Amino acid sequence: MEMPDDRKINETRLYGANWNAIHGGYFSDLAVAAPLVKVIAEAITHANPHVVADLGGGTGFILQQVAAALGSADKSFIAVDQSAEQLNSVDDRFSTLKLSVGDITRGDLGAAGSSLMFIMRSVLHYFRRDRQREILRHLRRQMNAGESFIHQSACFANAAYKDMWNYLYELMNVDKWFESEAELASALSDEGWRILSITSAPPLHINSAELAERFQLEKDQMRQITENLNNRYSALTGFFVPEDDGFATSLHYKIFKCAAV
C-alpha cells in the first residue's frame, strides 16, 4: 500500500497476511470487491490489454479475483506496491514490482510496445491534497490515448462528509486527503482522463476503536477527537454516529472507469 508522503503512519505491522483482516476483512471480502472486479473484468475482455498493472496492489487480492472472473491469469498481471511485506503475499502467478505509484513508468511495466491498463483500489487518498492531481497527471503521461484506468477511490457526494473525514484525519495527525465526488471527477477530466462511468462500491463502515487500533491512538486522544467531531458534526445524523465510548461512521467509495484522452 502507498505511503508516499513525508508524514507517514507506521502501518507496516498490518501488512502482509494481516492486511486482509483489518476493518472486519473489508479489503478481502469477495462481495465487497465484486463491483470493482466486474468493471475490471469486463474492460479487460473488451480492450484485451497485454499488461494489467494494479497500482498499490498490496497482497494481490484484486488481481486474484479478476483472474478468477476471467477464468485465467494468462495476461501479464503485475502487482505494484512500495511495500515488500505486501508483495511477499502476492500469488506466484502474478509479477510484482516494488515501486511507488508516483514513480511508475510504462517502461517499468514492460509495456513500451504493448497495450496497458491501470487498476487501483483505495490508494489516491494516501496522497496529500497538493499531490493528487500530480499523480493523476503522471499516470496519464504513461498511457496511450484510449487506454483504461479503472480505480475505486474514496470520495463523497456530500461535501460535509468529506470535510468531516479530512478533519478527522487532521485530528489523528494522519496525512491523507479526501475529495468530493465532483472534485475528483473534475481533477480526472483536467488531467487528461475521460470518465466513461461512475458506479458505487460498498461503503466501509468503521468505528473509532478500529481507527485507534490502526493508527495507534491512546484512549484519551480518541476521546478528545470524538468530542471535537461531535461539536462540529453532530448534525450529520446517520453519518456521524456517537457511541458509548466513541463514534461510528463510514467511508464511501466510487468506481471510476476512465480512458486516456
Side-chain angles (χ1 to χ4, degrees), residues 158-171 177 223-237 239-242 247:
N158 185 320
Y161 293 178
K162 175 205 75 168
D163 291 343
M164 193 209 80
W165 265 97
N166 285 328
Y167 182 55
L168 169 58
Y169 270 11
E170 178 185 341
L171 293 172
W177 184 261
R223 189 177 298 113
Q224 185 60 56
I225 288 170
T226 300
E227 182 178 336
N228 290 343
L229 288 173
N230 192 53
N231 288 338
R232 187 178 292 195
Y233 295 106
S234 60
L236 298 183
T237 306
F239 182 74
F240 174 74
V241 181
F247 63 91

Side-chain angles (χ1 to χ4, degrees), residues 120-219:
M120 189 170 73
R121 185 194 197 196
S122 198
V123 170
L124 195 57
H125 69 278
Y126 275 77
F127 293 91
R128 290 192 302 254
R129 183 181 190 182
D130 60 349
R131 286 210 64 205
Q132 289 187 8
R133 284 186 175 240
E134 177 186 332
I135 294 299
L136 294 174
R137 188 179 313 126
H138 170 73
L139 295 179
R140 172 60 188 88
R141 287 172 178 165
Q142 310 313 311
M143 304 294 275
N144 294 328
E147 291 181 329
S148 297
F149 172 34
I150 299 170
H151 60 106
Q152 178 176 315
S153 293
C155 59
F156 301 90
N158 185 320
Y161 293 178
K162 175 205 75 168
D163 291 343
M164 193 209 80
W165 265 97
N166 285 328
Y167 182 55
L168 169 58
Y169 270 11
E170 178 185 341
L171 293 172
M172 294 191 300
N173 199 34
V174 176
D175 198 11
K176 302 179 185 179
W177 184 261
F178 299 102
E179 298 279 15
S180 69
E181 182 181 335
E183 288 168 338
L184 182 49
S186 178
L188 286 161
S189 179
D190 290 346
E191 302 305 335
W193 298 101
R194 180 163 59 95
I195 299 173
L196 303 178
S197 65
I198 303 174
T199 54
S200 295
L204 168 57
H205 300 297
I206 194 166
N207 61 41
S208 52
E210 292 176 84
L211 291 169
E213 165 98 16
R214 179 169 179 178
F215 298 116
Q216 297 181 293
L217 301 172
E218 300 294 334
K219 287 185 177 181

Side-chain angles (χ1 to χ4, degrees), residues 62-103:
I62 293 298
L63 287 180
Q64 283 184 307
Q65 303 315 309
V66 170
L70 293 172
S72 71
D74 59 354
K75 295 193 173 296
S76 179
F77 283 176
I78 306 175
V80 181
D81 205 287
Q82 67 179 33
S83 166
E85 292 88 350
Q86 294 286 69
L87 295 177
N88 285 340
S89 296
V90 173
D91 191 299
D92 290 341
R93 293 177 298 164
F94 310 131
S95 300
T96 61
L97 183 60
K98 186 178 180 296
L99 203 60
S100 168
V101 169
D103 295 327

